[in-house]
């Protein structure tokens, strides 16, 4: 079991994180990056962000605050079916671009 120290209002809090949860998250991140690599997505179609909001960063319709590190994949409507393996990895958040409401920006926590 791993423990992480979190600070909340200047009080240190120790949180126990079961190793099984860490292994599952690590596997999800590896699988995500493997799918991105095999799909041949370029840097205009995916990337990583840290501590941003979706409306200002992506120009999305929805407003979500992304605290921490995230990977994102930007898919056009006609690409949804082409990326079957990527569809098997549930996104933590999905937002839509103001410029192209049929596209999806799938956002995955990588922490």
């Amino acid at each position: 079991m791993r423990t992480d120290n979190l600070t909340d209002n200047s009080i240190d809090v120790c949180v126990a994180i079961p190793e099984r949860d860490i292994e599952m998250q690590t596997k999800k991140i590896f699988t995500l990056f493997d799918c991105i690599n095999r799909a041949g997505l370029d840097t205009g179609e995916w990337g990583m962000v840290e501590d941003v909001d979706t409306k200002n960063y992506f120009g999305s319709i929805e407003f979500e605050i992304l605290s921490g590190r995230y990977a994102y994949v930007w898919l056009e409507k006609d690409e949804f079916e082409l990326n079957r393996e990527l569809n098997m990895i549930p996104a933590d958040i999905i937002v839509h671009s103001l410029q192209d409401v049929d596209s999806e920006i799938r956002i995955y926590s990588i922490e």
Side-chain angles (χ1 to χ4, degrees), residues 4-62:
D4 285 350
N5 289 323
L6 305 176
T7 302
D8 183 24
N9 295 331
S10 300
I11 300 171
D12 284 337
V13 179
C14 187
V15 178
I17 303 172
E19 292 295 329
R20 178 176 48 93
D21 291 345
I22 294 169
E23 288 174 23
M24 288 175 59
Q25 183 67 4
T26 301
K27 183 176 179 174
K28 175 186 168 186
I29 294 166
F30 175 83
T31 303
L32 173 65
F33 289 147
D34 186 47
C35 285
I36 289 169
N37 185 45
R38 283 189 278 123
L41 301 180
D42 65 34
T43 56
E45 298 169 299
W46 81 280
M48 293 183 283
V49 295
E50 182 175 11
D51 300 329
V52 299
D53 73 75
T54 59
K55 194 166 198 78
N56 287 313
Y57 190 84
F58 298 113
S60 68
I61 297 168
E62 303 87 354

Side-chain angles (χ1 to χ4, degrees), residues 62-102:
E62 303 87 354
F63 178 83
E64 297 281 344
I65 295 174
L66 305 178
S67 296
R69 295 182 181 122
Y70 291 83
Y72 65 87
V73 177
W74 197 309
L75 294 175
E76 302 295 326
K77 185 178 182 177
D78 60 345
E79 295 175 316
F80 294 165
E81 272 304 304
L82 296 175
N83 292 293
R84 290 188 186 139
E85 290 182 44
L86 195 56
N87 290 335
M88 301 298 287
I89 305 168
D92 296 300
I93 299 168
I94 296 176
V95 296
H96 303 87
S97 170
L98 278 169
Q99 296 174 348
D100 182 5
V101 294
D102 289 332

